[in-house]
Amino acid sequence: MWQTISYVSTANPSLTNSEINELFKFVKLNNDSQNITGILMYSDGNFFQVLEGEKDLIQDLFEKILLDSRHYDVIKIFDRKIPNSSFSTYHSSFKVLGQKYNHKELQHFLKEEESYNPDNYKNISYLANKFMKLL
Ligand SMILES: Cc1cc2nc3c(=O)[nH]c(=O)nc-3n(C[C@H](O)[C@H](O)[C@H](O)COP(=O)(O)O)c2cc1C
């Protein structure tokens, strides 16, 4: 069974840029090693994340994320099952996007979502672009 969870949160104001970069590196390594896909974005003091993967992994990870003092006020956007058929090994690796990021990365992620996970795409494409100030 597959699961996807998305949320926005407020970064702890004491978090420095280098701590955010460290977090991004850790998240990318850890998620890629566990076949967790999705995206983590940071913009102007807020995080926006989409997690996709095996149900137990995603639920356990989200519990940990909720308790992490590097952010607070976590607001869930969605939390639902993904039909196995739509979740594909064609998905590329987990994406992390900070203040100075490549626009193409986000558009590439959204294009993949559109074909493999259309329900997520409908929910996040507008929000993700707004979040990164592209709309
Ligand atoms: C905004 C935010 C997003 C995070 N996303 C992930 C993630 O996608 N994957 C991950 O392994 N840890 C993520 N973490 C870190 C976890 O909260 C936790 O520190 C990490 O999983 C290590 O936990 P452990 O050493 O207790 O196993 C995130 C933390 C924050 C603040």
Side-chain angles (χ1 to χ4, degrees):
M1 186 58 71
W2 299 95
Q3 188 86 11
T4 180
I5 296 179
S6 176
Y7 68 86
V8 287
S9 67
T10 306
N12 188 323
S14 70
L15 212 58
T16 62
N17 281 341
S18 71
E19 285 169 334
I20 292 171
N21 288 336
E22 266 170 45
L23 173 67
F24 275 14
K25 268 190 219 154
F26 173 86
V27 166
K28 167 100 181 113
L29 267 175
N30 202 46
N31 291 3
D32 284 348
S33 73
Q34 299 193 82
N35 290 326
I36 293 171
T37 60
I39 195 163
L40 174 61
M41 295 178 249
Y42 173 83
S43 177
D44 279 343
N46 293 283
F47 291 109
F48 177 28
Q49 187 166 31
V50 178
L51 293 163
E52 302 162 332
E54 204 274 319
K55 180 171 165 267
D56 293 342
L57 268 181
I58 296 298
Q59 279 176 347
D60 290 353
L61 175 58
F62 186 64
E63 292 298 314
K64 268 197 240 169
I65 291 174
L66 276 178
L67 297 173
D68 199 309
S69 61
R70 287 171 284 188
H71 67 166
Y72 57 93
D73 286 351
V74 176
I75 301 167
K76 240 191 216 181
I77 299 168
F78 55 75
D79 181 348
R80 61 161 169 265
K81 291 174 193 147
I82 313 175
N84 281 8
S85 58
S86 78
F87 201 79
S88 152
T89 48
Y90 289 103
H91 251 76
S92 67
S93 58
F94 192 86
K95 300 256 185 298
V96 288
L97 303 180
Q99 297 281 49
K100 290 186 225 125
Y101 74 100
N102 183 349
H103 288 203
K104 279 196 196 139
E105 289 271 289
L106 176 60
Q107 305 317 323
H108 178 70
F109 169 75
L110 290 172
K111 259 208 137 19
E112 280 198 339
E113 286 295 291
E114 191 175 16
S115 48
Y116 299 122
N117 205 351
D119 291 341
N120 269 12
Y121 176 77
K122 277 181 227 143
N123 278 284
I124 62 175
S125 56
Y126 176 77
L127 206 56
N129 277 300
K130 274 276 187 212
F131 188 82
M132 295 317 275
K133 301 193 167 66
L134 295 171
L135 287 180

